[in-house]
Amino acid sequence: VFRVSTLAARAADRRGFSEADTETVEWAGLLHHHAIDFADAPGASKLLADLGLPGVPELDPLPERVHEVLRVYRGMARTADPFIAQTAILEESANLFDEQIENLPYEDATADEAIRELLLTGIVDPSFSEAVESFRVLSRQDLIECAKRLPVFPKAAMQALRMVRNPRSGLREIERAVASDSVLAGEMVQLANSGMFGTWHPVNSLAVALSRVGTEAAGKLIAAAAVRRSFISGNLHELWLHSAETADQAVFVAAEAGGLDLGEAYLAGLVHDVGRLAFQVSPAAVELRRWEEAGFPATYAEFLVSGTDHATIGAEILRIWRFPEELVQAVEHHHRPETTSSRLASVLYAAEDPAESLPSCARDHTASKRLDIEEIPRARSAS
Ligand SMILES: [Fe+2]
Ligand SMILES: [Fe+2]
């Protein structure tokens, strides 16, 4: 209801509705799922205010115009008033739009394809379609340009990670590979001291950092140091913490599922949301936050402002960084595990914060089947 009401109200705003009229659209949107008697019930507007609609005065009873919109919307009445008719159409269109997005886990199409198809059918009002077009302020190309300004994943890190996977490489060789990139080496020393790797005594050189964490965790330290640079550059500390947390959870899920490289799962977890960096440093960052604050999950909000999402853009970034295709695939499908056979994508889906996309039982089911586990072990619950 929140989403439908916000979509309809923002479309109304784009169409030049007055503030009072936009508010009517918002109220009708909030009530569109309920029976008409509910809207008529005393206290309905108090409920709207309690639902947190900003600036809603406690009006009792609800303005007659809201009732009229709802009656027309439900086909219980006709109207000669163009405002009422238009508003009912906007609500209907917003509802269809939102339903189409909700149905994506059952469709074999990207959000963009599904929405284009919906708009082509003509059941969505053209004025709503135009408004949706106007929400789109960024192109995929713009996002890739933003991504190109992010610090690149260091070559030395990629080389050192390959060595970590090779049982014949020793810590000294790994150290030499890392030392060729002094920024990376410095970052590793700093991270080793951050408490993230459980080292108690201060570490002041790369050699000590590596020997302190040991070969097994060396890969994690290298990966974390390499990725953190991109996050810190955009002042995106929260996203960094989320990535580190998801990386740990990805290792947990991958170990549970079996047959997966845990080092790879960790790296995948660290970079799974790298596409969000591009969005957050883009000119659409403020607009994106507005949608998210109105209750739209990240992937939905990203779709509204750009027609794509952070998973798709993240994969593009990893291609630019020359990541192995296996990791690229996993990141690309981490919110749509049903569209790939990659098990690593399912690991990321399971490790991911569910609040980043609309909840879906179908996707949970696919991921747990791919991973051969009973149930997705969620570290966080959807908000
Ligand atoms: Fe994500
Ligand atoms: Fe995430």
PDB file of all heavy atoms in Angstrom, residues 240-268:
ATOM      1  N   TRP A 240      30.247  -0.558   3.455  1.00  0.00           N
ATOM      2  CA  TRP A 240      31.423  -1.395   3.702  1.00  0.00           C
ATOM      3  C   TRP A 240      31.118  -2.407   4.811  1.00  0.00           C
ATOM      4  O   TRP A 240      31.405  -3.595   4.680  1.00  0.00           O
ATOM      5  CB  TRP A 240      32.629  -0.514   4.051  1.00  0.00           C
ATOM      6  CG  TRP A 240      33.735  -1.299   4.702  1.00  0.00           C
ATOM      7  CD1 TRP A 240      34.156  -1.214   5.985  1.00  0.00           C
ATOM      8  CD2 TRP A 240      34.527  -2.330   4.089  1.00  0.00           C
ATOM      9  NE1 TRP A 240      35.161  -2.114   6.221  1.00  0.00           N
ATOM     10  CE2 TRP A 240      35.409  -2.827   5.077  1.00  0.00           C
ATOM     11  CE3 TRP A 240      34.564  -2.890   2.814  1.00  0.00           C
ATOM     12  CZ2 TRP A 240      36.316  -3.841   4.830  1.00  0.00           C
ATOM     13  CZ3 TRP A 240      35.471  -3.908   2.563  1.00  0.00           C
ATOM     14  CH2 TRP A 240      36.338  -4.380   3.555  1.00  0.00           C
ATOM     15  N   LEU A 241      30.522  -1.935   5.885  1.00  0.00           N
ATOM     16  CA  LEU A 241      30.196  -2.838   6.995  1.00  0.00           C
ATOM     17  C   LEU A 241      29.219  -3.919   6.529  1.00  0.00           C
ATOM     18  O   LEU A 241      29.359  -5.093   6.856  1.00  0.00           O
ATOM     19  CB  LEU A 241      29.574  -2.060   8.163  1.00  0.00           C
ATOM     20  CG  LEU A 241      30.522  -1.121   8.909  1.00  0.00           C
ATOM     21  CD1 LEU A 241      29.784  -0.425  10.040  1.00  0.00           C
ATOM     22  CD2 LEU A 241      31.731  -1.883   9.473  1.00  0.00           C
ATOM     23  N   HIS A 242      28.228  -3.497   5.738  1.00  0.00           N
ATOM     24  CA  HIS A 242      27.254  -4.458   5.205  1.00  0.00           C
ATOM     25  C   HIS A 242      27.959  -5.511   4.347  1.00  0.00           C
ATOM     26  O   HIS A 242      27.641  -6.699   4.414  1.00  0.00           O
ATOM     27  CB  HIS A 242      26.184  -3.718   4.390  1.00  0.00           C
ATOM     28  CG  HIS A 242      25.381  -4.605   3.500  1.00  0.00           C
ATOM     29  ND1 HIS A 242      24.510  -5.557   3.997  1.00  0.00           N
ATOM     30  CD2 HIS A 242      25.330  -4.723   2.150  1.00  0.00           C
ATOM     31  CE1 HIS A 242      23.964  -6.205   2.978  1.00  0.00           C
ATOM     32  NE2 HIS A 242      24.440  -5.724   1.859  1.00  0.00           N
ATOM     33  N   SER A 243      28.937  -5.082   3.546  1.00  0.00           N
ATOM     34  CA  SER A 243      29.650  -6.009   2.661  1.00  0.00           C
ATOM     35  C   SER A 243      30.478  -7.002   3.476  1.00  0.00           C
ATOM     36  O   SER A 243      30.507  -8.195   3.162  1.00  0.00           O
ATOM     37  CB  SER A 243      30.561  -5.241   1.703  1.00  0.00           C
ATOM     38  OG  SER A 243      29.796  -4.311   1.002  1.00  0.00           O
ATOM     39  N   ALA A 244      31.134  -6.501   4.521  1.00  0.00           N
ATOM     40  CA  ALA A 244      31.957  -7.380   5.355  1.00  0.00           C
ATOM     41  C   ALA A 244      31.062  -8.413   6.062  1.00  0.00           C
ATOM     42  O   ALA A 244      31.395  -9.599   6.145  1.00  0.00           O
ATOM     43  CB  ALA A 244      32.735  -6.550   6.362  1.00  0.00           C
ATOM     44  N   GLU A 245      29.902  -7.946   6.511  1.00  0.00           N
ATOM     45  CA  GLU A 245      28.959  -8.837   7.196  1.00  0.00           C
ATOM     46  C   GLU A 245      28.413  -9.898   6.223  1.00  0.00           C
ATOM     47  O   GLU A 245      28.326 -11.080   6.551  1.00  0.00           O
ATOM     48  CB  GLU A 245      27.791  -7.977   7.720  1.00  0.00           C
ATOM     49  CG  GLU A 245      26.961  -8.631   8.781  1.00  0.00           C
ATOM     50  CD  GLU A 245      25.758  -7.752   9.139  1.00  0.00           C
ATOM     51  OE1 GLU A 245      25.752  -6.557   8.786  1.00  0.00           O
ATOM     52  OE2 GLU A 245      24.831  -8.279   9.749  1.00  0.00           O
ATOM     53  N   THR A 246      28.088  -9.462   5.019  1.00  0.00           N
ATOM     54  CA  THR A 246      27.565 -10.394   4.014  1.00  0.00           C
ATOM     55  C   THR A 246      28.633 -11.409   3.617  1.00  0.00           C
ATOM     56  O   THR A 246      28.324 -12.581   3.368  1.00  0.00           O
ATOM     57  CB  THR A 246      27.058  -9.616   2.774  1.00  0.00           C
ATOM     58  OG1 THR A 246      26.144  -8.619   3.218  1.00  0.00           O
ATOM     59  CG2 THR A 246      26.363 -10.533   1.771  1.00  0.00           C
ATOM     60  N   ALA A 247      29.903 -10.951   3.572  1.00  0.00           N
ATOM     61  CA  ALA A 247      30.991 -11.861   3.212  1.00  0.00           C
ATOM     62  C   ALA A 247      31.101 -12.985   4.250  1.00  0.00           C
ATOM     63  O   ALA A 247      31.230 -14.161   3.902  1.00  0.00           O
ATOM     64  CB  ALA A 247      32.300 -11.085   3.117  1.00  0.00           C
ATOM     65  N   ASP A 248      31.017 -12.625   5.528  1.00  0.00           N
ATOM     66  CA  ASP A 248      31.074 -13.651   6.580  1.00  0.00           C
ATOM     67  C   ASP A 248      29.900 -14.614   6.462  1.00  0.00           C
ATOM     68  O   ASP A 248      30.046 -15.822   6.595  1.00  0.00           O
ATOM     69  CB  ASP A 248      31.040 -12.983   7.969  1.00  0.00           C
ATOM     70  CG  ASP A 248      32.393 -12.376   8.324  1.00  0.00           C
ATOM     71  OD1 ASP A 248      33.418 -12.862   7.794  1.00  0.00           O
ATOM     72  OD2 ASP A 248      32.429 -11.410   9.106  1.00  0.00           O
ATOM     73  N   GLN A 249      28.720 -14.054   6.206  1.00  0.00           N
ATOM     74  CA  GLN A 249      27.527 -14.886   6.080  1.00  0.00           C
ATOM     75  C   GLN A 249      27.626 -15.788   4.838  1.00  0.00           C
ATOM     76  O   GLN A 249      27.194 -16.935   4.870  1.00  0.00           O
ATOM     77  CB  GLN A 249      26.281 -13.974   6.020  1.00  0.00           C
ATOM     78  CG  GLN A 249      24.951 -14.703   5.975  1.00  0.00           C
ATOM     79  CD  GLN A 249      24.630 -15.473   7.261  1.00  0.00           C
ATOM     80  OE1 GLN A 249      25.343 -15.383   8.258  1.00  0.00           O
ATOM     81  NE2 GLN A 249      23.565 -16.256   7.212  1.00  0.00           N
ATOM     82  N   ALA A 250      28.246 -15.272   3.773  1.00  0.00           N
ATOM     83  CA  ALA A 250      28.396 -16.070   2.542  1.00  0.00           C
ATOM     84  C   ALA A 250      29.297 -17.279   2.821  1.00  0.00           C
ATOM     85  O   ALA A 250      29.022 -18.383   2.332  1.00  0.00           O
ATOM     86  CB  ALA A 250      28.979 -15.216   1.422  1.00  0.00           C
ATOM     87  N   VAL A 251      30.339 -17.075   3.616  1.00  0.00           N
ATOM     88  CA  VAL A 251      31.230 -18.189   3.964  1.00  0.00           C
ATOM     89  C   VAL A 251      30.438 -19.228   4.764  1.00  0.00           C
ATOM     90  O   VAL A 251      30.521 -20.430   4.515  1.00  0.00           O
ATOM     91  CB  VAL A 251      32.450 -17.694   4.780  1.00  0.00           C
ATOM     92  CG1 VAL A 251      33.241 -18.860   5.333  1.00  0.00           C
ATOM     93  CG2 VAL A 251      33.329 -16.815   3.909  1.00  0.00           C
ATOM     94  N   PHE A 252      29.620 -18.741   5.684  1.00  0.00           N
ATOM     95  CA  PHE A 252      28.805 -19.640   6.505  1.00  0.00           C
ATOM     96  C   PHE A 252      27.845 -20.460   5.629  1.00  0.00           C
ATOM     97  O   PHE A 252      27.766 -21.684   5.748  1.00  0.00           O
ATOM     98  CB  PHE A 252      28.027 -18.800   7.542  1.00  0.00           C
ATOM     99  CG  PHE A 252      27.077 -19.588   8.369  1.00  0.00           C
ATOM    100  CD1 PHE A 252      27.544 -20.436   9.363  1.00  0.00           C
ATOM    101  CD2 PHE A 252      25.706 -19.493   8.150  1.00  0.00           C
ATOM    102  CE1 PHE A 252      26.659 -21.181  10.127  1.00  0.00           C
ATOM    103  CE2 PHE A 252      24.814 -20.234   8.911  1.00  0.00           C
ATOM    104  CZ  PHE A 252      25.293 -21.076   9.906  1.00  0.00           C
ATOM    105  N   VAL A 253      27.152 -19.793   4.731  1.00  0.00           N
ATOM    106  CA  VAL A 253      26.188 -20.493   3.854  1.00  0.00           C
ATOM    107  C   VAL A 253      26.928 -21.465   2.933  1.00  0.00           C
ATOM    108  O   VAL A 253      26.494 -22.607   2.745  1.00  0.00           O
ATOM    109  CB  VAL A 253      25.362 -19.477   3.009  1.00  0.00           C
ATOM    110  CG1 VAL A 253      24.446 -20.203   2.026  1.00  0.00           C
ATOM    111  CG2 VAL A 253      24.548 -18.552   3.901  1.00  0.00           C
ATOM    112  N   ALA A 254      28.068 -21.018   2.375  1.00  0.00           N
ATOM    113  CA  ALA A 254      28.809 -21.869   1.444  1.00  0.00           C
ATOM    114  C   ALA A 254      29.329 -23.120   2.152  1.00  0.00           C
ATOM    115  O   ALA A 254      29.315 -24.216   1.584  1.00  0.00           O
ATOM    116  CB  ALA A 254      29.971 -21.090   0.830  1.00  0.00           C
ATOM    117  N   ALA A 255      29.759 -22.958   3.406  1.00  0.00           N
ATOM    118  CA  ALA A 255      30.265 -24.109   4.163  1.00  0.00           C
ATOM    119  C   ALA A 255      29.115 -25.090   4.425  1.00  0.00           C
ATOM    120  O   ALA A 255      29.262 -26.300   4.312  1.00  0.00           O
ATOM    121  CB  ALA A 255      30.881 -23.641   5.475  1.00  0.00           C
ATOM    122  N   GLU A 256      27.968 -24.537   4.736  1.00  0.00           N
ATOM    123  CA  GLU A 256      26.767 -25.330   4.990  1.00  0.00           C
ATOM    124  C   GLU A 256      26.372 -26.119   3.733  1.00  0.00           C
ATOM    125  O   GLU A 256      26.028 -27.288   3.794  1.00  0.00           O
ATOM    126  CB  GLU A 256      25.649 -24.335   5.353  1.00  0.00           C
ATOM    127  CG  GLU A 256      24.437 -24.908   5.947  1.00  0.00           C
ATOM    128  CD  GLU A 256      24.473 -24.887   7.470  1.00  0.00           C
ATOM    129  OE1 GLU A 256      25.535 -24.944   8.117  1.00  0.00           O
ATOM    130  OE2 GLU A 256      23.382 -24.845   7.977  1.00  0.00           O
ATOM    131  N   ALA A 257      26.447 -25.446   2.575  1.00  0.00           N
ATOM    132  CA  ALA A 257      26.035 -26.066   1.316  1.00  0.00           C
ATOM    133  C   ALA A 257      27.059 -27.087   0.833  1.00  0.00           C
ATOM    134  O   ALA A 257      26.700 -28.118   0.272  1.00  0.00           O
ATOM    135  CB  ALA A 257      25.831 -24.983   0.259  1.00  0.00           C
ATOM    136  N   GLY A 258      28.337 -26.801   1.069  1.00  0.00           N
ATOM    137  CA  GLY A 258      29.400 -27.714   0.641  1.00  0.00           C
ATOM    138  C   GLY A 258      29.724 -27.586  -0.838  1.00  0.00           C
ATOM    139  O   GLY A 258      28.927 -27.069  -1.634  1.00  0.00           O
ATOM    140  N   GLY A 259      30.938 -28.064  -1.189  1.00  0.00           N
ATOM    141  CA  GLY A 259      31.346 -28.078  -2.599  1.00  0.00           C
ATOM    142  C   GLY A 259      31.691 -26.708  -3.167  1.00  0.00           C
ATOM    143  O   GLY A 259      31.740 -26.544  -4.384  1.00  0.00           O
ATOM    144  N   LEU A 260      31.894 -25.723  -2.307  1.00  0.00           N
ATOM    145  CA  LEU A 260      32.208 -24.379  -2.805  1.00  0.00           C
ATOM    146  C   LEU A 260      33.514 -23.887  -2.199  1.00  0.00           C
ATOM    147  O   LEU A 260      33.862 -24.272  -1.083  1.00  0.00           O
ATOM    148  CB  LEU A 260      31.081 -23.416  -2.425  1.00  0.00           C
ATOM    149  CG  LEU A 260      29.794 -23.551  -3.226  1.00  0.00           C
ATOM    150  CD1 LEU A 260      28.594 -23.240  -2.357  1.00  0.00           C
ATOM    151  CD2 LEU A 260      29.817 -22.637  -4.441  1.00  0.00           C
ATOM    152  N   ASP A 261      34.223 -23.046  -2.945  1.00  0.00           N
ATOM    153  CA  ASP A 261      35.464 -22.467  -2.443  1.00  0.00           C
ATOM    154  C   ASP A 261      35.114 -21.336  -1.472  1.00  0.00           C
ATOM    155  O   ASP A 261      34.478 -20.348  -1.850  1.00  0.00           O
ATOM    156  CB  ASP A 261      36.259 -21.939  -3.648  1.00  0.00           C
ATOM    157  CG  ASP A 261      37.593 -21.343  -3.245  1.00  0.00           C
ATOM    158  OD1 ASP A 261      37.675 -20.650  -2.196  1.00  0.00           O
ATOM    159  OD2 ASP A 261      38.558 -21.560  -3.979  1.00  0.00           O
ATOM    160  N   LEU A 262      35.514 -21.491  -0.213  1.00  0.00           N
ATOM    161  CA  LEU A 262      35.108 -20.512   0.800  1.00  0.00           C
ATOM    162  C   LEU A 262      35.776 -19.147   0.598  1.00  0.00           C
ATOM    163  O   LEU A 262      35.186 -18.105   0.880  1.00  0.00           O
ATOM    164  CB  LEU A 262      35.388 -21.045   2.209  1.00  0.00           C
ATOM    165  CG  LEU A 262      34.683 -22.360   2.582  1.00  0.00           C
ATOM    166  CD1 LEU A 262      34.883 -22.664   4.055  1.00  0.00           C
ATOM    167  CD2 LEU A 262      33.193 -22.325   2.251  1.00  0.00           C
ATOM    168  N   GLY A 263      37.009 -19.177   0.077  1.00  0.00           N
ATOM    169  CA  GLY A 263      37.700 -17.913  -0.207  1.00  0.00           C
ATOM    170  C   GLY A 263      36.958 -17.131  -1.274  1.00  0.00           C
ATOM    171  O   GLY A 263      36.799 -15.912  -1.201  1.00  0.00           O
ATOM    172  N   GLU A 264      36.466 -17.853  -2.258  1.00  0.00           N
ATOM    173  CA  GLU A 264      35.714 -17.226  -3.342  1.00  0.00           C
ATOM    174  C   GLU A 264      34.378 -16.674  -2.819  1.00  0.00           C
ATOM    175  O   GLU A 264      33.950 -15.585  -3.199  1.00  0.00           O
ATOM    176  CB  GLU A 264      35.466 -18.262  -4.430  1.00  0.00           C
ATOM    177  CG  GLU A 264      35.229 -17.645  -5.767  1.00  0.00           C
ATOM    178  CD  GLU A 264      35.346 -18.666  -6.873  1.00  0.00           C
ATOM    179  OE1 GLU A 264      34.413 -19.480  -7.019  1.00  0.00           O
ATOM    180  OE2 GLU A 264      36.366 -18.657  -7.575  1.00  0.00           O
ATOM    181  N   ALA A 265      33.756 -17.446  -1.927  1.00  0.00           N
ATOM    182  CA  ALA A 265      32.484 -16.999  -1.338  1.00  0.00           C
ATOM    183  C   ALA A 265      32.703 -15.707  -0.555  1.00  0.00           C
ATOM    184  O   ALA A 265      31.888 -14.776  -0.619  1.00  0.00           O
ATOM    185  CB  ALA A 265      31.912 -18.082  -0.424  1.00  0.00           C
ATOM    186  N   TYR A 266      33.830 -15.638   0.145  1.00  0.00           N
ATOM    187  CA  TYR A 266      34.126 -14.434   0.936  1.00  0.00           C
ATOM    188  C   TYR A 266      34.314 -13.225   0.024  1.00  0.00           C
ATOM    189  O   TYR A 266      33.711 -12.171   0.234  1.00  0.00           O
ATOM    190  CB  TYR A 266      35.392 -14.658   1.777  1.00  0.00           C
ATOM    191  CG  TYR A 266      35.678 -13.529   2.732  1.00  0.00           C
ATOM    192  CD1 TYR A 266      34.978 -13.405   3.929  1.00  0.00           C
ATOM    193  CD2 TYR A 266      36.638 -12.574   2.433  1.00  0.00           C
ATOM    194  CE1 TYR A 266      35.221 -12.357   4.805  1.00  0.00           C
ATOM    195  CE2 TYR A 266      36.898 -11.522   3.307  1.00  0.00           C
ATOM    196  CZ  TYR A 266      36.186 -11.418   4.489  1.00  0.00           C
ATOM    197  OH  TYR A 266      36.426 -10.377   5.351  1.00  0.00           O
ATOM    198  N   LEU A 267      35.123 -13.417  -1.024  1.00  0.00           N
ATOM    199  CA  LEU A 267      35.364 -12.313  -1.955  1.00  0.00           C
ATOM    200  C   LEU A 267      34.046 -11.894  -2.623  1.00  0.00           C
ATOM    201  O   LEU A 267      33.753 -10.703  -2.770  1.00  0.00           O
ATOM    202  CB  LEU A 267      36.406 -12.736  -3.000  1.00  0.00           C
ATOM    203  CG  LEU A 267      36.772 -11.691  -4.054  1.00  0.00           C
ATOM    204  CD1 LEU A 267      37.287 -10.403  -3.417  1.00  0.00           C
ATOM    205  CD2 LEU A 267      37.834 -12.239  -5.022  1.00  0.00           C
ATOM    206  N   ALA A 268      33.252 -12.892  -3.006  1.00  0.00           N
ATOM    207  CA  ALA A 268      31.959 -12.592  -3.647  1.00  0.00           C
ATOM    208  C   ALA A 268      31.085 -11.767  -2.703  1.00  0.00           C
ATOM    209  O   ALA A 268      30.434 -10.805  -3.116  1.00  0.00           O
ATOM    210  CB  ALA A 268      31.258 -13.890  -4.040  1.00  0.00           C
TER     211      ALA A 268
END
